[in-house]
Amino acid sequence: GQNIDQPTEMTATEGAIVQINCTYQTSGFNGLFWYQQHAGEAPTFLSYNVLDGLEEKGRFSSFLSRSKGYSYLLLKELQMKDSASYLCAVRQTGGFKTIFGAGTRLFVKA
Amino acid sequence: DTEVTQTPKHLVMGMTNKKSLKCEQHMGHRAMYWYKQKAKKPPELMFVYSYEKLSINESVPSRFSPECPNSSLLNLHLHALQPEDSALYLCASSQIWDPDGNSPLHFGNGTRLTVT
């Protein structure tokens, strides 16, 4: 079967660091993506990992361990505008099919 | 602003109506997608077109009929829908191949569909 698991909700304080975890079991793997989705808006691309290790992009970093089927998204120096849903997504072998996790709703409080 | 444009933003239709959702992108992407998203749920893949040909149909009921007239346009024709088809319909596009191996999906803002 195919499964992508993320926590449903997280709350963090402005200026802090938060880590959103994702575990996956999918038939075939060709990269893991993180997307941000504000309420009522389209998902927007944040990061991509296909090899093990850490990818850093400004305040956002993403980590992948393929052997463990595990990824996390790290958000630093949280801002109120970071309050959104964060979707973990796995692209399957073949290139066109991307499966999304249910998303983690992050609430950033002052 | 998103580079993938979807129209209309909102659509209310009866179960006997026929309507179409439209999507347009000018990024030169040759893969285009339809996703369906219910509230507080992840996007679910419906269809994929690559080079204007249907590559993936995720066993979607025939009341949804996709069309890709050219490399920039993607339509979704709707007929005899059910109330449970009410959802946000997202169009996305991507490169077929990216030098970085990346090829993320670029989503439009979606059409919020209500079937009465």
Side-chain angles (χ1 to χ4, degrees), chain A residues 2 26-31 33 89-100, chain B residues 33 35 44-46 48 55-59 94 105:
Chain A
Q2 310 200 85
T26 58
S27 53
F29 177 86
N30 190 22
F33 296 82
V90 173
R91 184 170 61 197
Q92 295 189 287
T93 313
F96 292 126
K97 189 167 180 179
T98 299
I99 300 171
F100 286 81
Chain B
Y33 310 74
Y35 278 84
E44 295 178 2
L45 182 64
M46 300 175 72
V48 181
S55 298
I56 296 177
N57 176 342
E58 288 288 282
S59 302
S94 74
L105 297 169

Side-chain angles (χ1 to χ4, degrees), chain A residues 12-16 36 38 59 77-84 86 106-110:
Chain A
T13 305
E14 194 175 18
Q36 179 191 61
H38 286 98
R59 293 191 300 116
E77 300 168 17
L78 280 173
Q79 302 174 10
M80 299 299 288
K81 67 178 182 179
D82 296 329
S83 294
Y86 291 85
L106 175 66
F107 299 94
V108 179
K109 59 183 183 179

Side-chain angles (χ1 to χ4, degrees), chain A residues 22-72:
Chain A
C22 170
T23 57
Y24 64 90
Q25 289 179 307
T26 58
S27 53
F29 177 86
N30 190 22
L32 187 142
F33 296 82
W34 285 94
Y35 290 85
Q36 179 191 61
Q37 186 174 27
H38 286 98
E41 297 183 11
T44 56
F45 167 69
L46 288 178
S47 69
Y48 168 74
N49 296 72
V50 69
L51 299 176
D52 290 353
L54 189 68
E55 294 286 338
E56 297 186 81
K57 200 188 253 189
R59 293 191 300 116
F60 297 83
S61 303
S62 57
F63 172 83
L64 175 68
S65 169
R66 289 172 298 171
S67 62
K68 295 182 180 177
Y70 168 69
S71 174
Y72 67 73

Side-chain angles (χ1 to χ4, degrees), chain B residues 5 11 14 22 28 51 53 78-79 98 115:
Chain B
T5 304
L11 178 62
K22 296 186 182 300
Y51 297 109
K53 295 198 185 310
L78 314 173
H79 174 54
D98 186 299
V115 182

